[in-house]
Amino acid sequence: MKEILKKRKGLRYILLSGIVVVAGGLFMAASNPDFALGRNLQILFNLFRELNLMYVDPVDPDKMLEDAAEGMVSRLDPYTELIPESEMSDFEIMTTGKYGGMGAMIRKSGDYVMIAQPYRGFPADKAGLVIGDLLLEVDGQDIKGMEVTDVSALLKGAPGTPLKLKVRKLLSGETEEVTLKRERITISGVTYSGMVADSIGYIAHSDFTEDCSSDIRNAFMSLKKQGMKALILDLRSNGGGILQEAVKILSMFVPKGTEVVRMQGRQKQSDATFITQNDPIDTEIPLVVLVNSSSASASEIVSGALQDLDWAVLIGQRTFGKGLVQSTLPLGYNAYVKLTTAKYYIPSGRCIQAIDYAHRAEDGSVDAVPDSLIREYTTRQGRKVYDGGGIMPDIRIPASYYSNFAIALYNNGFIEDFANEYYKRHREGVDVDTFALSDAEYQDFVHFMADKTVDFESETKEALDQLRKKAERDKYLDRISEELTAIENKIQEDKQSDLTAFREDITRLIEGEILLRYHYKEGVARHNLPTDPGVTEAVKLLNDSARYQQILTSQDTERK
């Protein structure tokens, strides 16, 4: 009997072992990435098919695919996304800064679109189109009611092809036929360069598109010929772009063979180390880099590497905090995925990507970062710098903002419309350096706004309304109602009062729009430089060589 029991126990053990092996095999199959991928693709395909065939209302398969792709990447990071065929041309313009067209920005104006800014020297400019000219037809097609994106698509085309426009001219009010030839439009990465003080040069750089490093090199050499002995490189609101262009720009200032950025990803092919390949054009020039919360990606590589190498002083606000690298991979049928494949590390070893992708400030930049997520690193000279999100400047200055009321006036087109009227009345032009809106001219704008409705509610008013609702739910309203009413009365939104209260902001916007019509965007930049707080601080520092050297050799950055 004992022998029988032993055999049964043994058999039971073998069976249990068999069950474990089989179950383990099933678990291994279920956890195999290829199996899981195939299973999920089948589920997704079946769902797509049933929705397309059986849903009560007709569905758009292309839109469903885009929604599915958006859902797949929504929990990853903010930069991984599907680029369908319909958006590839816009993506190429963004990365190369080149397209075939007439070279002008347009905006909506009533039922039509209006020239918002012609680029100097390109077909629209050479054909005499000015800001405020209204487009009525494109190649014989009436564009009434069309969206700006659709009109833009009609205006683009192969370089050398003709483009026929029917235009209502701003200055004459007459309708004219305008024929021009499309050209390869190349938007320079350098929006303005010039001398801002005795021997101090200034270069504003807007994005890292293809060959933008050549634009900076050319601007730099031109300023050197003008006697430049120190440089301000303005990377504020530069959203980045091509990483290799950042390396080329760094090559202008640091010794050949210097490691400036390293990439590391999940796959080995994503790993790379970038070393400057060219001989620098100037390793001695004192250099200040201006940054703000919209300086991101490649602009953070340039500013962060220069800080880590103790090669430049950074002035402004903490940068955006994008330390991720994207690759564009084909998906078939001219669709692509822009996929985050690596993180990048600047010379100190820090990655400036905010660890938490989701919690950001309203402008998308890094918000508060917990101390536990901040680590300390050192520059070449031993100065303390930190990760956790963004690059902290060496000299921090307050950010400058326009009031929401002034922005609302601009977004509604009122400031542009007033500038058009000014342009029509003042054909003699204005001086780029001395122009200032007079008191009488501002009163003209106030009269211009008399019959206009401004679609605007301040954030303060919105917050107060929310507070009142919460106080009512919490049964505090009776206690604080009088105080809330008093605050509400003080911030009561009244167009006339706001035109007075925010006159300085509104005046700056009007002046910029007027100057744009006579001197293009370069003139606006030149006019604004003398009153720019960042530029003023940079000039002050570059004129104080002892302080400049002290910052580069011994000053730690702020932790947060």
Side-chain angles (χ1 to χ4, degrees):
M1 186 67 177
K2 287 181 180 180
E3 289 294 320
I4 294 173
L5 287 173
K6 283 181 181 179
K7 288 179 181 179
R8 286 178 177 172
K9 285 180 182 178
L11 179 61
R12 187 182 180 192
Y13 177 78
I14 293 170
L15 288 174
L16 285 174
S17 298
I19 292 171
V20 170
V21 170
V22 172
L26 289 173
F27 177 77
M28 288 173 65
S31 64
N32 183 290
D34 290 337
F35 174 84
L37 179 63
R39 177 194 63 200
N40 292 329
L41 284 174
Q42 187 65 47
I43 293 171
L44 184 63
F45 171 78
N46 290 340
L47 174 62
F48 189 87
R49 181 189 60 198
E50 298 303 334
L51 288 172
N52 198 39
L53 292 174
M54 303 298 294
Y55 188 68
V56 63
D57 295 319
V59 296
D60 183 345
D62 291 336
K63 185 65 172 66
M64 276 205 303
L65 176 61
E66 290 181 27
D67 291 343
E70 185 177 336
M72 274 190 264
V73 303
S74 62
R75 296 191 182 185
L76 301 178
D77 64 77
Y79 315 112
T80 295
E81 61 179 334
L82 172 72
I83 307 174
E85 181 179 14
S86 59
E87 296 177 13
M88 272 308 297
S89 61
D90 291 335
F91 178 74
E92 288 172 358
I93 292 171
M94 182 180 69
T95 53
T96 66
K98 301 173 184 176
Y99 66 97
M102 68 174 186
M105 294 178 63
I106 57 175
R107 72 171 175 89
K108 192 75 173 175
S109 180
D111 290 333
Y112 294 94
V113 299
M114 179 181 288
I115 299 293
Q117 182 184 332
Y119 298 134
R120 189 195 294 268
F122 286 110
D125 184 39
K126 290 186 287 189
L129 296 181
V130 301
I131 298 173
D133 284 349
L134 201 67
L135 302 186
L136 306 176
E137 293 182 5
V138 177
D139 286 332
Q141 181 175 342
D142 186 349
I143 61 171
K144 184 177 181 179
M146 291 180 63
E147 295 299 320
V148 170
T149 52
D150 296 325
V151 176
S152 178
L154 292 177
L155 295 171
K156 292 171 186 172
T161 57
L163 179 63
K164 187 175 181 180
L165 306 173
K166 182 179 282 188
V167 181
R168 183 177 299 144
K169 299 293 289 180
L170 170 73
L171 298 177
S172 67
E174 297 179 359
T175 299
E176 298 181 7
E177 299 278 356
V178 177
T179 301
L180 47 84
K181 277 191 177 181
R182 295 181 177 93
E183 292 181 11
R184 182 70 163 168
I185 309 300
T186 303
I187 303 170
S188 174
V190 173
T191 53
Y192 176 76
S193 65
M195 302 295 287
V196 294
D198 184 32
S199 74
I200 298 177
Y202 170 88
I203 298 175
H205 187 227
S206 60
D207 51 47
F208 286 78
T209 51
E210 192 175 275
D211 296 328
C212 72
S213 55
S214 297
D215 296 331
I216 288 191
R217 178 180 288 270
N218 293 336
F220 185 92
M221 298 309 295
S222 174
L223 292 172
K224 286 283 280 187
K225 291 178 182 178
Q226 298 174 49
M228 178 181 67
K229 296 180 181 177
L231 174 65
I232 302 168
L233 177 60
D234 192 346
L235 297 181
R236 290 175 298 183
S237 300
N238 184 320
I242 301 172
L243 182 147
Q244 288 85 346
E245 291 298 318
V247 176
K248 291 178 183 178
I249 291 169
L250 288 166
S251 297
M252 300 179 196
F253 304 107
V254 302
K256 182 178 180 180
T258 302
E259 180 181 323
V260 290
V261 63
R262 174 173 54 86
M263 286 174 17
Q264 187 172 335
R266 180 180 168 194
Q267 301 295 330
K268 198 68 179 173
Q269 61 264 34
S270 298
D271 296 350
T273 299
F274 292 86
I275 296 170
T276 54
Q277 299 293 320
N278 303 319
D279 291 323
I281 54 178
D282 196 329
T283 61
E284 302 295 329
I285 191 167
L287 178 61
V288 166
V289 181
L290 301 181
V291 294
N292 65 7
S293 62
S294 296
S295 302
S297 188
S299 62
E300 291 178 292
I301 291 175
V302 171
S303 57
L306 290 171
Q307 185 181 62
D308 283 358
L309 296 170
D310 301 303
W311 225 269
V313 173
L314 274 53
I315 295 178
Q317 300 87 48
R318 178 166 60 183
T319 62
F320 187 87
K322 181 180 183 292
L324 304 177
V325 180
Q326 284 73 49
S327 301
T328 307
L329 306 174
L331 299 176
Y333 298 96
N334 295 321
Y336 289 79
V337 60
K338 180 162 70 74
L339 181 66
T340 296
T341 53
K343 293 180 179 179
Y344 70 76
Y345 300 82
I346 51 181
S348 65
R350 56 181 169 150
C351 176
I352 53 83
Q353 173 64 40
I355 304 300
D356 186 348
Y357 301 138
H359 294 88
R360 295 211 172 235
E362 288 186 7
D363 64 357
S365 61
V366 176
D367 205 353
V369 181
D371 281 334
S372 60
L373 296 180
I374 299 175
R375 290 179 296 178
E376 180 183 301
Y377 295 81
T378 56
T379 68
R380 284 273 179 93
Q381 298 271 20
R383 299 187 297 142
K384 293 178 182 177
V385 289
Y386 302 92
D387 67 0
I391 305 288
M392 292 297 291
D394 300 297
I395 298 177
R396 201 168 185 173
I397 60 174
S400 299
Y401 299 105
Y402 285 108
S403 64
N404 284 338
F405 179 73
I407 292 172
L409 294 180
Y410 186 85
N411 289 341
N412 282 299
F414 298 134
I415 288 176
E416 290 176 297
D417 291 341
F418 178 77
N420 286 340
E421 293 303 313
Y422 185 99
Y423 184 53
K424 288 163 67 175
R425 295 194 307 269
H426 298 83
R427 296 302 304 125
E428 70 280 6
V430 298
D431 184 86
V432 68
D433 294 313
T434 61
F435 173 67
L437 200 71
S438 67
D439 292 343
E441 288 166 341
Y442 188 77
Q443 286 307 309
D444 287 343
F445 178 72
V446 173
H447 294 318
F448 172 81
M449 288 299 302
D451 61 346
K452 309 293 191 299
T453 300
V454 183
D455 184 15
F456 162 74
E457 184 175 16
S458 72
E459 293 181 8
T460 305
K461 177 66 165 57
E462 291 177 8
L464 190 64
D465 291 342
Q466 289 295 319
L467 179 59
R468 187 180 289 278
K469 290 176 183 178
K470 290 180 179 179
E472 185 176 14
R473 283 199 298 269
D474 293 340
K475 299 188 176 180
Y476 287 129
L477 189 57
D478 290 342
R479 298 189 218 173
I480 63 173
S481 181
E482 290 185 12
E483 288 85 349
L484 292 178
T485 300
I487 296 172
E488 192 169 31
N489 290 336
K490 286 184 178 180
I491 64 167
Q492 186 66 40
E493 286 159 8
D494 172 69
K495 183 175 66 178
Q496 195 66 30
S497 299
D498 286 345
L499 285 168
T500 300
F502 303 116
R503 174 174 173 169
E504 183 179 347
D505 285 356
I506 297 167
T507 296
R508 286 169 58 201
L509 289 172
I510 293 173
E511 288 175 349
E513 279 299 313
I514 290 172
L515 284 162
L516 189 63
R517 282 148 180 76
Y518 299 99
H519 300 287
Y520 303 85
K521 61 182 180 179
E522 297 89 351
V524 178
R526 174 174 161 179
H527 177 82
N528 290 337
L529 286 179
T531 57
D532 186 311
V535 173
T536 301
E537 185 66 31
V539 170
K540 179 181 175 183
L541 176 65
L542 289 169
N543 283 323
D544 186 348
S545 58
R547 184 179 177 223
Y548 177 85
Q549 290 300 326
Q550 179 268 324
I551 291 173
L552 285 183
T553 56
S554 59
Q555 179 177 299
D556 300 334
T557 64
E558 295 180 17
R559 184 179 177 88
K560 57 190 296 187

